[in-house]
Amino acid sequence: MGGNSREREVSFAGGRTVMDNLDKSLFEAIPIFIDSFGEPVWIDWKWLYKGSIRDFYPDTRYYPDNAQGGTHTFYAEQLGPHDPQKAAEWRSQLGKPIRWDEIRELVDLAFLALHGKNGEDGRIQGLLEYHGIPYTGSGIGASAIGMNKLAQRRMMKQMGLPVPEFRSIDRQSWFCCGDDVRQRIFKEWSDALGFPMVIKPANQGSSIGMTILSSSDSDAFMTAIDRALFRCVVQSEDWLTLPELQRIQLAEEWSDPKSGIGLPARGSDGLILYNAPELVDWLSKNFEKSSDCIYFDSLDSEMVVLGESFLSGDEFSCIVIESDTGEPIALPPTGIRKSSLIYDYRAKYLPGQARKTTPIDLPDAKIRQIQQSCEELYTLLGFQIYARIDGFINSDGIVYLNDPNTTSGMMPSSFFFHQAAEVGMNPSQFLTYIAITSLRRFAEPWEIQTMSPEKSDNHLSTIGKTEPAFIRMQRLLHSAQSRVGARKPIAVIMGGSSSERHISVESGRNVYEKLSSSGDFEPISLFLTGNDAHFRLYEIPINLHLKDHADDIAGKLNQYSEHTVVLETRARCTKITELLGCRRVVAPREITIAELAEMVGQVFIALHGRPGEDGTLQKALEAVGLTYNGSGPESSGLTIDKFRTNRMLDAHGLQVADARLIDSNDVQTEGGYEALAASIIRSIPLPLIAKPIDDGCSSGVVRIDSQNELTSYLSTHLATPFSQSFSAGGKLAATDLQDTDRRETNLQDVNSMSKPELNSGSVQTRDRILIEECIVQGDADRLLEVTGGMLIHTGDKGERTYEVFEPSESLAGKGILSLEEKFLAGEGQNITPARFSTDPQERDRISVQVKAVLEETARILGVRGYCRIDAFVRIYERTVDPKVEVLIIEVNSLPGMTPATCIFHQCALQGYKPDEFIRQILAEGRKGRAKTTCA
């Protein structure tokens, strides 16, 4: 995992997903991290649960002086010229540096989660074959073809397959030609390809460097070609008119390898620019010399640009796997409906940002046509084990396969797992099948012919390391199947109807998958609908469990049906699912809390917001004797209400933001929105923060800088409470499962009020709004936003001890932490432990003070089991008596449990692997439910 390509963050997150989901009764997972310089490290497991590679490699103490304590983090190659000795030191701090020839002695199989250059282009495959190491996925030649889009187009055209009209130009030809030649190229491409026109690098994935030109614009065409070659051209008038802060932000965007040009880069004067601060200085100095235009090129550049006609029609992605006899089987393809023309990094990997429907919503004959086309291309290109093939089917029924990939993204929201779930495989089982199929490819013929389950030995102690890996894998699998009935059933409840429902689904899936791969638990997926007054529970099958987001699941609860093509594909995969012991896919069914108590002894609540985090569900579970994770009803009901939490902490002497609760009646009392805004500003000066009282995930949180902005916010968000319709008997009507009346957003600033978040339609109106002072640095030397998790242990006599984790420092890109920064792997910059000081002893001293305040907060609020607390920390270093101020912002009694959330970074530093952390949470939940009174 990892690597030095532009897709390294997807690889790192995918590698972590594989690590977490490999069946621990079958595999010993050894994490091999490839660093920025292509060197392997047997990495300590604790680093895997960082949100981004930049959060741990290299350590922040190696940052340049002008970046210490700043809001930007760096990749290793961005810290200056490559120093092999220093790089070796960095690697040694991650774990055990190893040589490639040592890996053969460590592993039976290399599971490849690498992407892009050196990962899926045949290079790593060749290296592994040279050292005799079996690996997953396609071989050298097929991988090289799968990465090179121009080679694909040419081969597919020669094979007589439908391809869009395309053109290409290499880097040298483009940069050597003058303006008149470039205009001729623009004219030629325009005539041949038309508009919209797709321009992209020939050797990148995840839509990196891609542009879609919607109309004939020669300047935009030139810029798109430069972008695909990872060159940035800056005009002096554009740069010099920017304020310093915006220059820094723009340089940081350019430095990002997945969305920008990527640094290091070579300037037009030949100077190597390694990071954003150097780029800012270089641009400013050159423009001071009266330069009109400056360019710089990423050192990780592209050699060829591909131009294509834009394909219209139904977009899809299809995973193809091999049967037990080596024949390709296309799984049910997923249809993609995106909010923009480009299916970009954000839409691919953040749940809810594109509509993904499996199988694609087309007539059966067309779906079969897509599957057949994908299987044919899989065979023609020589792919092996599995592949992901993307394409379009147009209104004439022509299937265009425009992006065959030999390595699929393996993040939780990836098609890889969604489509396998349709035939009955959970993620752990699907990974097992990829592993055993890969081992079979490298096995000797006699191993395959002589091995059968009937000959397997049930005793693991008799399995020798000298036995061929394929035979050993078969024995282990047979033994594991015999122990399935001994696993402990446990319910995982996710979903809900709050604006956090999609994150709840991600949390629930992550918990489910870690329990599923443990070998000890048999998790059962439950989906909750409704509100805190009326909710309903449904047991859902694995194919619903892995739908893209909460609304996809909710929409199918009462309208579930088995698609004909899915049933056909499932039948083709029968031998595979029988081999893996997959549970039969059955329709979702509604169950009561009493019925749940007959099925399981414990519940993991993965809900966020209302209902679930407010004590409602907790009361119902306690009534039937079910234990659960987290706080009890009273504490949950308190912490869900940010205003009540604020007031209680203030009453106990803790520092909190000045706050005022605004409800819909205040509009009439004050004489309208404008008068109300003026009244608020008189009590809480600008700038201020407006937010919902009981939603998290930054939903609806916005910074207000003027009275006009506040008036606009109030008139948009504050209204009479919306009502929900109920069917007879007090249950939600079927239409409520669709949540059609809810309107919500996640706003970064008042100018983006129309921007929907998490696939929602518009802004949600609320009957109550919380107004808080905006925490600023003021006279303090430093201001940090931190989040700290903890485990709360209960003794035999009910006494509690608080294991407070090292807080993480959250770096918000634009003031308020966005959804991506919190939950999308590779986006958020959470530094753990927080950088309270550059002096280690002073850092530890401040950390002790901060953790003491977090512990006191949990005590006052009566929190149980575990929690996460968000706060701002002001540090005064240059006063006579150095001091620290901790201002509590929010307490989460059921923290997000998505793979990239920082609570996993924190518990890793305490020595807990994620599955061990979940076990601890469950163990605390079983220690009894004596009534707790909040202070």
Side-chain angles (χ1 to χ4, degrees):
M1 69 183 78
N4 52 13
S5 81
R6 293 174 179 271
E7 299 178 78
R8 69 188 77 176
E9 294 290 1
V10 176
S11 167
F12 180 67
R16 175 175 58 213
T17 303
V18 173
M19 283 281 298
D20 285 346
N21 282 284
L22 283 172
D23 189 328
K24 294 173 179 58
S25 68
L26 302 176
F27 302 101
E28 176 189 358
I30 295 176
I32 305 296
F33 174 75
I34 312 301
D35 78 349
S36 294
F37 311 107
E39 298 294 338
V41 185
W42 183 346
I43 191 173
D44 290 343
W45 64 266
K46 65 182 180 181
W47 302 116
L48 297 180
Y49 299 99
K50 299 289 189 177
S52 163
I53 294 170
R54 296 169 297 171
D55 291 344
F56 67 93
Y57 177 74
D59 191 282
T60 56
R61 67 175 178 269
Y62 296 106
Y63 281 13
D65 292 339
N66 63 349
Q68 289 289 346
T71 60
H72 187 62
T73 50
F74 301 85
Y75 288 109
E77 71 272 20
Q78 296 174 346
L79 294 187
H82 177 46
D83 181 335
Q85 185 174 353
K86 188 176 292 185
E89 180 183 347
W90 296 344
R91 284 191 292 275
S92 67
Q93 293 168 0
L94 296 181
K96 179 186 177 183
I98 55 178
R99 301 188 311 272
W100 286 104
D101 60 354
E102 292 180 295
I103 296 178
R104 182 67 187 93
E105 303 304 316
L106 295 174
V107 306
D108 297 300
L109 176 72
F111 201 112
L112 294 182
L114 293 166
H115 290 273
K117 182 182 70 176
N118 299 321
E120 52 183 322
D121 57 3
R123 297 179 189 180
I124 187 71
Q125 290 81 2
L127 185 59
L128 292 171
E129 289 200 12
Y130 178 80
H131 289 292
I133 304 168
Y135 58 88
T136 58
S138 293
I140 301 169
S143 297
I145 295 168
M147 192 65 195
N148 189 319
K149 295 177 175 60
L150 180 58
Q152 291 170 14
R153 298 296 180 272
R154 288 171 173 167
M155 289 184 66
M156 292 167 68
K157 188 173 184 178
Q158 289 176 351
M159 294 172 180
L161 299 176
V163 293
E165 191 67 33
F166 64 91
R167 293 291 185 273
S168 66
I169 189 166
D170 65 83
R171 182 182 191 86
Q172 185 174 5
S173 298
W174 177 255
F175 289 140
C176 288
C177 64
D179 289 341
D180 55 339
V181 177
R182 291 188 177 188
Q183 288 295 335
R184 284 202 300 271
I185 294 171
F186 169 64
K187 177 69 166 56
E188 178 193 343
W189 285 32
S190 299
D191 293 341
L193 309 180
F195 295 94
M197 180 193 300
V198 182
I199 296 177
K200 57 188 174 183
N203 294 280
Q204 298 292 333
S206 297
S207 302
I208 290 172
M210 179 186 292
T211 302
I212 295 182
L213 297 180
S214 57
S215 60
S216 179
D217 183 333
S218 63
D219 289 339
F221 175 81
M222 310 300 172
T223 300
I225 298 286
D226 285 344
R227 181 170 183 260
L229 294 169
F230 301 107
R231 166 173 286 192
C232 183
V233 180
V234 187
Q235 303 293 334
S236 61
E237 62 268 24
D238 296 332
W239 180 259
L240 294 176
T241 55
L242 289 177
E244 184 64 21
L245 180 59
Q246 290 186 26
R247 292 181 184 182
I248 295 171
Q249 290 176 343
L250 187 57
E252 289 175 350
E253 291 173 9
W254 285 331
S255 73
D256 191 329
K258 67 180 179 297
S259 57
I261 298 301
L263 298 179
R266 188 183 305 277
S268 50
D269 59 0
L271 184 67
I272 304 297
L273 309 163
Y274 288 95
N275 50 58
E278 290 184 8
L279 178 58
V280 170
D281 291 343
W282 179 77
L283 286 169
S284 298
K285 288 177 181 177
N286 275 273
F287 283 131
E288 287 174 2
K289 299 174 184 177
S290 300
S291 299
D292 293 328
C293 178
I294 303 175
Y295 67 85
F296 53 94
D297 295 283
S298 173
L299 297 188
D300 182 16
S301 58
E302 176 63 47
M303 300 309 296
V304 177
V305 174
L306 181 66
E308 293 180 329
S309 297
F310 182 80
L311 290 172
S312 59
D314 293 286
E315 186 172 4
F316 63 84
S317 185
C318 185
I319 301 293
V320 181
I321 61 174
E322 291 185 8
S323 71
D324 58 315
T325 59
E327 296 299 314
I329 300 176
L331 298 180
T334 299
I336 304 162
R337 293 190 182 277
K338 50 195 183 294
S339 57
S340 62
L341 287 176
I342 299 179
Y343 186 47
D344 60 11
Y345 181 92
R346 184 176 187 270
K348 286 187 178 186
Y349 301 115
L350 185 65
Q353 294 309 302
R355 202 68 172 176
K356 303 169 187 174
T357 305
T358 307
I360 187 171
D361 187 15
L362 288 172
D364 293 358
K366 288 193 174 183
I367 300 176
R368 294 188 190 101
Q369 183 184 354
I370 290 171
Q371 290 180 303
Q372 183 178 353
S373 297
C374 291
E375 290 171 359
E376 289 175 354
L377 185 62
Y378 181 95
T379 301
L380 287 170
L381 297 182
F383 287 174
Q384 294 174 291
I385 311 302
Y386 77 96
R388 192 194 85 229
I389 300 176
D390 303 336
F392 292 82
I393 182 168
N394 67 12
S395 56
D396 296 327
I398 300 174
V399 176
Y400 289 90
L401 302 178
N402 70 328
D403 197 3
N405 295 268
T406 53
T407 301
S408 174
M410 294 181 191
M411 290 169 69
S413 59
S414 299
F415 304 120
F416 186 75
F417 297 120
H418 288 203
Q419 295 178 19
E422 291 294 335
V423 299
M425 286 184 275
N426 68 32
S428 182
Q429 292 163 336
F430 192 28
L431 294 177
T432 295
Y433 186 68
I434 295 298
I436 196 170
T437 309
S438 300
L439 284 171
R440 182 174 60 207
R441 176 179 61 179
F442 289 94
E444 296 290 340
W446 68 268
E447 297 174 33
I448 298 174
Q449 293 171 3
T450 60
M451 189 61 212
S452 67
E454 292 75 17
K455 298 178 182 179
S456 297
D457 193 330
N458 289 335
H459 301 287
L460 293 179
S461 59
T462 66
I463 297 173
K465 175 66 175 172
T466 57
E467 215 171 15
F470 180 70
I471 291 181
R472 193 161 72 257
M473 177 74 236
Q474 288 272 24
R475 289 183 184 275
L476 285 167
L477 186 60
H478 181 68
S479 179
Q481 296 307 327
S482 68
R483 301 195 306 275
V484 169
R487 295 184 175 187
K488 180 180 179 180
I490 185 167
V492 179
I493 301 180
M494 57 186 178
S497 58
S498 78
S499 63
E500 302 176 73
R501 62 193 180 277
H502 306 294
I503 299 305
S504 165
V505 167
E506 285 297 292
S507 291
R509 283 200 280 242
N510 190 38
V511 171
Y512 174 98
E513 289 161 11
K514 286 178 171 58
L515 293 173
S516 178
S517 65
S518 68
D520 298 325
F521 296 97
E522 185 67 28
I524 298 170
S525 291
L526 295 178
F527 190 86
L528 181 145
T529 67
N531 56 28
D532 51 351
H534 302 272
F535 62 82
R536 299 162 73 171
L537 281 176
Y538 292 81
E539 182 183 1
I540 59 174
I542 188 64
N543 60 332
L544 280 195
H545 168 95
L546 282 171
K547 290 297 181 186
D548 192 39
H549 54 72
D551 293 348
D552 279 349
I553 300 172
K556 294 184 181 297
L557 293 178
N558 288 338
Q559 302 174 16
Y560 184 83
S561 62
E562 291 282 20
H563 198 286
T564 303
V565 175
V566 171
L567 292 173
E568 293 170 356
T569 309
R570 198 177 294 162
R572 294 181 67 192
C573 294
T574 298
K575 287 188 177 181
I576 297 173
T577 53
E578 288 179 348
L579 172 70
L580 300 171
C582 301
R583 294 178 65 181
R584 190 166 64 91
V585 177
V586 296
R589 66 185 186 100
E590 185 175 1
I591 62 171
T592 65
I593 295 291
E595 289 172 328
L596 179 61
E598 297 296 319
M599 298 166 56
V600 301
Q602 190 167 18
V603 169
F604 195 103
I605 306 172
L607 297 161
H608 304 304
R610 297 179 187 271
E613 201 172 357
D614 59 359
T616 304
L617 179 61
Q618 288 82 347
K619 288 180 182 178
L621 295 174
E622 288 185 3
V624 296
L626 279 173
T627 61
Y628 55 86
N629 56 304
S631 294
E634 184 179 355
S635 180
S636 298
L638 171 61
T639 56
I640 192 71
D641 188 321
K642 295 183 179 72
F643 185 69
R644 285 181 61 205
T645 299
N646 177 292
R647 294 300 86 206
M648 177 169 279
L649 295 177
D650 181 61
H652 282 78
L654 295 189
Q655 290 183 284
V656 294
D658 286 342
R660 178 175 168 181
L661 185 61
I662 306 297
D663 64 37
S664 53
N665 294 324
D666 292 330
V667 180
Q668 292 179 326
T669 302
E670 296 289 345
Y673 291 112
E674 187 172 345
L676 177 57
S679 172
I680 292 171
I681 293 170
R682 286 194 294 271
S683 58
I684 302 179
L686 295 169
L688 53 79
I689 299 294
K691 64 173 70 169
I693 193 172
D694 57 3
D695 264 354
C697 301
S698 300
S699 180
V701 180
V702 60
R703 171 177 163 143
I704 303 291
D705 290 298
S706 72
Q707 184 172 328
N708 286 339
E709 289 177 0
L710 181 56
T711 301
S712 178
Y713 182 91
L714 293 172
S715 63
T716 306
H717 288 73
L718 188 63
T720 55
F722 70 91
S723 59
Q724 291 185 332
S725 301
F726 295 94
S727 61
K731 291 185 176 181
L732 280 171
T735 53
D736 294 311
L737 296 177
Q738 304 287 352
D739 224 8
T740 52
D741 289 334
R742 292 186 66 85
R743 298 178 297 156
E744 59 211 33
T745 188
N746 177 6
L747 304 177
Q748 293 304 311
D749 53 64
V750 78
N751 294 322
S752 62
M753 282 185 177
S754 62
K755 175 188 173 182
E757 199 63 72
L758 286 173
N759 204 41
S760 55
S762 56
V763 177
Q764 178 182 336
T765 56
R766 305 172 188 274
D767 60 337
R768 296 189 299 169
I769 294 292
L770 183 61
I771 303 295
E772 288 182 344
E773 68 168 311
C774 181
I775 305 300
V776 295
Q777 184 169 329
D779 296 332
D781 296 293
R782 303 186 69 194
L783 175 69
L784 283 74
E785 183 175 0
V786 303
T787 181
M790 68 181 73
L791 270 173
I792 303 161
H793 305 279
T794 304
D796 295 337
K797 297 181 180 180
E799 72 280 8
R800 292 183 189 168
T801 56
Y802 296 78
E803 186 179 2
V804 185
F805 302 156
E806 281 291 341
S808 299
E809 176 186 351
S810 302
L811 304 181
K814 296 180 180 178
I816 296 173
L817 278 174
S818 69
L819 180 77
E820 295 93 329
E821 289 170 318
K822 286 188 175 185
F823 298 108
L824 178 55
E827 288 292 287
Q829 299 177 27
N830 292 291
I831 298 174
T832 311
R835 300 173 296 175
F836 294 122
S837 174
T838 54
D839 178 79
Q841 289 185 328
E842 181 66 6
R843 198 221 73 82
D844 291 345
R845 184 188 71 81
I846 296 172
S847 177
V848 169
Q849 291 182 256
V850 174
K851 290 194 288 185
V853 175
L854 300 183
E855 177 177 333
E856 182 63 15
T857 299
R859 287 183 187 275
I860 292 169
L861 299 174
V863 176
R864 275 198 312 232
Y866 69 124
C867 71
R868 193 196 79 226
I869 301 175
D870 299 336
F872 282 95
V873 179
R874 288 196 187 109
I875 301 171
Y876 298 83
E877 297 172 328
R878 291 175 289 184
T879 57
V880 176
D881 181 21
K883 64 176 182 177
V884 175
E885 294 178 348
V886 182
L887 295 91
I888 303 298
I889 299 299
E890 184 176 343
V891 178
N892 294 271
S893 61
L894 291 176
M897 300 289 279
T898 64
T901 192
C902 60
I903 200 166
F904 287 127
H905 320 169
Q906 297 168 12
C907 70
L909 293 184
Q910 296 290 112
Y912 297 108
K913 293 181 179 178
D915 61 312
E916 295 168 344
F917 181 49
I918 292 169
R919 286 174 186 265
Q920 283 284 329
I921 292 169
L922 291 171
E924 291 302 326
R926 290 192 296 270
K927 288 183 179 178
R929 287 287 157 193
K931 185 176 180 181
T932 301
T933 302
C934 303

